[in-house]
Amino acid sequence: MNIGVTCYPTVGGSGILATRLGIELAKAGHVTHFITYERPFALQGAESALVKMHQVHVREYPLFKYPPYTVALATEMAEVTRSENLDLLHVHYSIPHATAAQLARNVTGKPYVTTLHGSDVTILGEDPSYELINTMSIEASDAITAVSQFMADTTRKNLGVKKEIQVIPNFVDHNKYQPAPCELIRAREGRAITLIHVSNFRAVKRIEDIVYSMCVITKEEPKAKLILVGDGPEKHRIERLAKKLELTDNVLMVGYRDDVAGLMNCADALVMASETESAPLTILEGMSSGLPVIATNVGGIPEQVQDGYNGFLVPFAHPDEIAKAALKLNSDPELQSQMCLNARKTVMEKYTVEKVLSQYIKVYQSVL
Ligand code: GMT
């Protein structure tokens, strides 16, 4: 198949998932054409005869305060569909991609599949400035998928979408992320429990709750460590908080890293304290690395983490509960090793590339 893919190319779960999916489709012999305003961050030199990049150019004009990006995107979608003989478009994150795809379909007659990821349905999707057209463009899709049951249910509830929504979970490269000894010796020296968190440091991730949990943890385990991987708007606030709480020796802020898989191997558990999440990729990466997950019981997280099996679900905004779960793992090595096995098993059963790719291919075939 010849598939056009549109996503947000910058760092963010939906763009990363879309890019990884495009690359996997190419490995399976399909041709994927990324139609985006810049080269997706996660594409990292993967362009080849089977993965192509088409840049959307938005013409600036002095009379416009807001350049008409959606029109430029729809135009590029229609042009590429014709010139590259695309079979379909797959858009990730509905605003404004589903609307642009609908416009392009008016011109080319080729179908589009919309995958719903998060705030395209919640925060932004239901905002009065977008809701009507967003809902209409989702509903008009030839097929709709969502990355969790939570997202599918929320789309029906918040936007009133009636059309069938197929849940296709996110996936992880289980060969890249796998249990292995820690090779970053410094992180392991004289260590007590080590927690890891990976995100784009947005307010919704509530990293402060993880830092507060370290106050409780370090009372029992003064050498406990928290590795914070990533960067974003909350970074300086979190840095200041760690300083204020005198946790600078315990909280290691390592920024964006290419060796996240290696860092995961130096930790004992992955922590997510988000206010909402549809289906975090980092939870899959942690579980694939054999890490039990301590995460808030919100959104689609309970579909990934089974409390007491591959991790612990904790209530939102309760740092003390995060600490309790971490200390429980720390004091019970048998439970820790069983949860490590269960975490990896969960990924192998549901979240491998092979399992997920075949579900998307079926959806594509259904709209042709
Ligand atoms: O949450 C983010 O930081 C970015 C956001 C996005 O749209 O790029 O992520 C959403 O989609 C990801 C890929 O499916 C999911 O892993 C995230 O859980 C989801 N974020 C939220 O729902 C807050």
Side-chain angles (χ1 to χ4, degrees):
M1 273 178 276
N2 260 353
I3 304 151
V5 180
T6 291
C7 62
Y8 279 104
T10 41
V11 187
S14 57
I16 292 173
L17 190 276
T19 311
R20 288 181 188 163
L21 178 62
I23 294 170
E24 292 303 327
L25 284 163
K27 283 189 202 160
H30 303 283
V31 186
T32 47
H33 295 261
F34 283 87
I35 306 168
T36 51
Y37 56 78
E38 65 188 32
R39 189 173 160 274
F41 170 79
L43 205 51
Q44 288 166 356
E47 285 136 284
S48 66
L50 297 182
V51 182
K52 299 181 178 182
M53 177 64 217
H54 305 268
Q55 196 171 353
V56 179
H57 296 279
V58 184
R59 165 93 191 250
E60 299 282 345
Y61 195 66
L63 289 181
F64 296 161
K65 184 170 176 193
Y66 305 107
Y69 172 65
T70 309
V71 178
L73 174 61
T75 304
E76 188 68 17
M77 282 172 162
E79 297 273 8
V80 175
T81 301
R82 281 180 168 169
S83 63
E84 301 287 343
N85 204 13
L86 299 187
D87 297 300
L88 62 105
L89 292 170
H90 185 176
V91 299
H92 294 260
Y93 202 95
S94 60
I95 303 172
H97 305 153
T99 306
Q102 193 183 1
L103 288 170
R105 187 181 61 187
N106 288 345
V107 177
T108 66
K110 296 290 181 176
Y112 69 98
V113 175
T114 300
T115 293
L116 304 166
H117 283 272
S119 49
D120 45 352
V121 166
T122 54
I123 307 154
L124 272 188
E126 59 175 350
D127 187 281
S129 306
Y130 301 113
E131 186 184 345
L132 183 61
I133 296 298
N134 184 39
T135 303
M136 183 203 71
S137 306
I138 294 171
E139 188 87 72
S141 310
D142 295 273
I144 312 168
T145 75
V147 295
S148 60
Q149 190 60 50
F150 163 77
M151 274 304 290
D153 295 344
T154 308
T155 306
R156 284 191 202 97
K157 190 167 146 260
N158 289 12
L159 305 184
V161 169
K162 300 270 183 308
K163 201 171 200 151
E164 187 195 346
I165 303 174
Q166 193 176 325
V167 176
I168 303 185
N170 285 335
F171 63 90
V172 58
D173 180 346
H174 64 278
N175 294 317
K176 179 173 176 192
Y177 292 90
Q178 54 176 309
C182 170
E183 283 178 1
L184 305 167
I185 307 298
R186 249 158 51 88
R188 291 299 274 190
E189 252 167 29
R191 59 179 287 281
I193 187 163
T194 301
L195 305 177
I196 189 165
H197 168 84
V198 187
S199 76
N200 51 15
F201 279 57
R202 292 196 296 128
V204 70
K205 306 291 173 185
R206 287 287 290 226
I207 302 174
E208 65 269 37
D209 291 345
I210 312 177
V211 174
Y212 278 120
S213 81
M214 289 299 286
C215 292
V216 184
I217 296 170
T218 50
K219 280 207 180 88
E220 258 185 54
E221 287 290 351
K223 287 191 172 157
K225 295 273 187 281
L226 167 64
I227 307 174
L228 293 176
V229 188
D231 206 333
E234 290 290 290
K235 186 190 161 191
H236 294 301
R237 214 168 62 80
I238 297 301
E239 223 160 30
R240 274 206 299 274
L241 181 65
K243 210 179 250 177
K244 190 175 129 203
L245 298 173
E246 296 179 3
L247 288 171
T248 41
D249 287 345
N250 305 91
V251 177
L252 315 173
M253 300 187 62
V254 298
Y256 277 123
R257 299 275 292 230
D258 289 331
D259 56 348
V260 177
L263 288 167
M264 294 264 190
N265 291 137
C266 297
D268 302 294
L270 178 107
V271 189
M272 289 286 288
S274 299
E275 186 174 356
T276 182
E277 283 291 344
S278 55
L281 297 174
T282 179
I283 287 188
L284 300 184
E285 290 163 358
M287 290 200 300
S288 189
S289 308
L291 295 184
V293 175
I294 302 168
T296 37
N297 192 4
V298 300
I301 290 179
E303 294 168 46
Q304 300 176 320
V305 180
Q306 279 170 264
D307 189 44
Y309 176 71
N310 50 18
F312 295 100
L313 290 172
V314 296
F316 169 62
H318 279 268
D320 49 323
E321 294 289 334
I322 297 175
K324 204 166 116 192
L327 290 169
K328 188 168 174 151
L329 277 176
N330 192 42
S331 64
D332 190 343
E334 216 170 287
L335 178 72
Q336 165 81 28
S337 358
Q338 189 56 51
M339 282 193 168
C340 289
L341 294 176
N342 295 347
R344 177 76 183 172
K345 192 161 170 248
T346 307
V347 165
M348 298 311 287
E349 283 170 358
K350 288 200 263 183
Y351 302 111
T352 61
V353 174
E354 294 74 19
K355 292 221 152 76
V356 174
L357 192 66
S358 58
Q359 297 179 58
Y360 276 114
I361 289 174
K362 266 194 203 141
V363 171
Y364 297 160
Q365 284 163 345
S366 76
V367 300
L368 292 180

